[in-house]
Amino acid sequence: MFWKEKHTRVFLAQLLCIACLSITAALLLLRLQENRLQSLLFEHDARIASSLLSQGISEETAARAIAYAQDDCTDAAGYMPEGMAGAAGYVQKNAANISGHAGGETLLGRLGLEKGGSAWQATRFHALCIAEKTFAILAGNLFLCCSIFYYLRKRDRIYREAIAAIENCGEDNFTLKLPELYDGTLYQLFARINFMAAMLKTRQETENKVKEFLKTTVSDISHQLKTPLAALSLYQEIILNEPGEAETVALFAEKSQLALARIEGLVQTLLKITRLDAGAVIFFKKDFDAKELVLEAAEELKIRAEKEGKKLLLSGDGSARVYCDPDWSREALGNLIKNALDHTEEGDRIRITWEQTPLMTRFIVTDTGEGIEKEDLHHIFKRFYRCENSRSRQGIGLGLSLVKSIVDGQGGTVSVQSEPGRETTFTLAFPN
């Protein structure tokens, strides 16, 4: 409601205070004027009474003379005793020259009249107070108009600030903030405008990051595809130039196949990451045998490990269970094993273990390879990131990024620990 606004409450309070002060001042002024006039009239009546008594006129006659002297006309019945009329006329003509009025005050007191307490005298000076009343009303109206003008001017300034803030938002300038520290409909509106500006700013920043990411991603993809495509072109040229050399054709046909597999792997990985980022992947989690998950993930890489002279060592709790999407989790675990094969040499060992705790099931992949430098640990899950000091150049920097996206999407965690030159340990954890 409008009275919840601070400025409105202040404005109404100011009007109320001004009205109260104006009325109080007018009443006090009129009261003072009334008391002053009543005092003068009482003193005037006392002087009249004293003058009449000093001339030997009886108190009854003097009282009646006072009554006639205070009226603007003669007796309502048209009758006034001759002696009383003469006395009243004499007193009215010579009241200014009469100095003593003690006896008159005594007479008025016996008649029940007190100084400042005669209600029947009010009509005699009522007309004199009209000017004061008019002045008080005009002054109150003037203050009221000034207050309304000040209030409207201040409110107009606030509205102009709101208009400027909205215009700035349209120009992608979100620095101007409207006040929203008070209650009321107006400040609720300002809060919504500020919230809208913050949302637009966040969206703009997000769009800029997305544009920058797409730009970087396209550049990285182009760079990653450039090498195998160039190799394919070279292999094809060699095969075409030497069609009669069976061994050469077979050798470079195999190399072409490897290059095509690399391109296919890059495209497939990018598609998977894109689907995960877009939220298009639905994880169908269920209770699954942890040992079976490890065996299936390592099965496809056993031949490569034997060919490269590396050992895969599997051990863990045979009764352990894991709550996850088996297909995607197998993909994540397989990428960790593949990453370990990429960064180890002949004779190195890769140990895959698993264990179940009351809170989670963990899969630990440890290799005795080259390790990871400390400055690289915080970046290895970024896309297309490859360690500068890495001896291996087989990877394209997407495997670990895919692992993190898969695990995060299922509410799990992935962490890494490494000692350069000795070993590296990756840990996947899925909550039970």
Side-chain angles (χ1 to χ4, degrees):
M1 302 303 289
F2 68 92
W3 56 78
K4 291 185 178 180
E5 298 180 12
K6 180 180 178 181
H7 292 298
T8 302
R9 294 198 301 268
V10 172
F11 173 66
L12 295 176
Q14 289 176 346
L15 291 182
L16 181 61
C17 290
I18 291 172
C20 292
L21 290 175
S22 300
I23 294 173
T24 303
L27 292 177
L28 289 175
L29 181 62
L30 293 176
R31 185 61 180 171
L32 292 174
Q33 187 71 7
E34 180 182 352
N35 291 338
R36 179 172 175 273
L37 292 176
Q38 286 183 352
S39 298
L40 291 176
L41 290 174
F42 184 84
E43 184 178 350
H44 178 268
D45 293 344
R47 289 179 182 273
I48 293 176
S50 298
S51 175
L52 293 175
L53 293 175
S54 65
Q55 297 179 34
I57 298 175
S58 64
E59 292 183 356
E60 181 180 358
T61 304
R64 295 179 65 184
I66 292 171
Y68 279 104
Q70 292 185 15
D71 291 332
D72 293 333
C73 59
T74 60
D75 186 75
Y79 169 78
M80 178 181 285
E82 183 179 353
M84 185 176 59
Y90 172 79
V91 172
Q92 289 179 352
K93 293 178 181 179
N94 300 281
N97 299 321
I98 301 174
S99 58
H101 56 275
E105 289 184 356
T106 302
L107 175 61
L108 294 179
R110 284 201 297 267
L111 293 176
L113 302 177
E114 298 179 356
K115 188 174 183 179
S118 54
W120 52 272
Q121 293 176 343
T123 56
R124 301 173 60 190
F125 56 85
H126 179 73
L128 299 177
C129 300
I130 295 178
E132 285 80 358
K133 292 181 179 179
T134 304
F135 173 78
I137 293 174
L138 291 177
N141 291 333
L142 179 61
F143 279 114
L144 179 63
C145 293
C146 292
S147 300
I148 293 175
F149 176 78
Y150 174 77
Y151 172 78
L152 294 178
R153 183 178 179 183
K154 188 172 184 179
R155 184 55 60 94
D156 181 71
R157 185 172 67 251
I158 295 176
Y159 290 151
R160 291 183 181 275
E161 291 178 358
I163 293 173
I166 295 174
E167 291 177 349
N168 288 339
C169 290
E171 299 175 357
D172 296 335
N173 182 5
F174 306 99
T175 57
L176 182 59
K177 297 295 182 181
L178 295 174
E180 50 180 281
L181 302 178
Y182 310 107
D183 296 329
T185 307
L186 180 62
Y187 292 101
Q188 290 179 5
L189 174 62
F190 289 168
R192 295 299 183 273
I193 293 176
N194 290 337
F195 177 76
M196 179 185 67
M199 292 296 294
L200 291 174
K201 181 179 180 181
T202 303
R203 182 173 298 179
Q204 183 187 55
E205 293 175 351
T206 303
E207 290 178 354
N208 291 336
K209 290 181 180 179
V210 170
K211 290 179 181 179
E212 185 64 26
F213 171 75
L214 290 176
K215 180 180 178 181
T216 304
T217 302
V218 170
S219 176
D220 291 336
I221 292 174
S222 300
H223 177 73
Q224 295 295 333
L225 290 175
K226 185 184 299 183
T227 301
L229 287 175
L232 276 175
S233 178
L234 178 61
Y235 300 156
Q236 184 68 16
E237 183 179 354
I238 293 175
I239 291 174
L240 292 175
N241 291 334
E242 300 183 12
E245 299 290 336
E247 294 183 0
T248 302
V249 171
L251 175 64
F252 285 97
E254 182 180 358
K255 290 181 178 291
S256 298
Q257 188 67 27
L258 292 175
L260 288 173
R262 183 179 179 184
I263 294 174
E264 182 182 4
L266 172 62
V267 173
Q268 292 295 331
T269 302
L270 285 173
L271 288 175
K272 292 175 182 178
I273 292 178
T274 303
R275 290 178 60 199
L276 289 169
D277 288 345
V281 175
I282 300 177
F283 293 100
F284 296 97
K285 296 192 290 184
K286 63 180 180 179
D287 187 57
F288 199 75
D289 187 355
K291 179 180 180 180
E292 183 179 351
L293 184 69
V294 173
L295 291 176
E296 291 178 357
E299 181 66 27
E300 300 176 357
L301 297 169
K302 281 184 178 180
I303 298 177
R304 175 185 169 182
E306 293 175 358
K307 184 177 180 180
E308 296 178 359
K310 303 170 185 178
K311 295 182 180 180
L312 292 180
L313 305 176
L314 282 65
S315 63
D317 183 4
S319 62
R321 310 290 294 181
V322 57
Y323 185 68
C324 66
D325 185 313
D327 295 332
W328 283 101
S329 299
R330 189 184 305 112
E331 176 86 17
L333 192 57
N335 272 280
L336 287 182
I337 300 174
K338 179 179 179 299
N339 182 75
L341 290 172
D342 290 341
H343 296 85
T344 51
E345 296 181 346
E346 184 178 357
D348 287 338
R349 299 185 305 276
I350 301 170
R351 181 180 297 275
I352 303 100
T353 61
W354 62 91
E355 61 181 9
Q356 186 174 17
T357 67
L359 296 179
M360 65 185 67
T361 301
R362 296 190 298 177
F363 299 91
I364 304 169
V365 180
T366 303
D367 65 72
T368 57
E370 58 189 0
I372 304 173
E373 299 293 335
K374 290 183 178 181
E375 57 269 19
D376 294 322
L377 284 176
H378 300 290
H379 305 283
I380 59 174
F381 293 108
K382 295 180 180 179
R383 297 174 191 178
F384 299 105
Y385 183 83
R386 292 190 295 182
C387 302
E388 293 293 334
N389 299 326
S390 175
R391 294 191 297 266
S392 173
R393 288 300 175 188
Q394 300 181 45
I396 56 178
L398 286 176
L400 294 180
S401 177
L402 179 60
V403 171
K404 183 171 177 58
S405 297
I406 293 174
V407 176
D408 289 347
Q410 299 184 73
T413 58
V414 56
S415 59
V416 59
Q417 294 178 339
S418 181
E419 296 182 21
R422 296 189 59 184
E423 66 177 22
T424 300
T425 300
F426 286 90
T427 302
L428 300 184
F430 295 94
N432 291 336

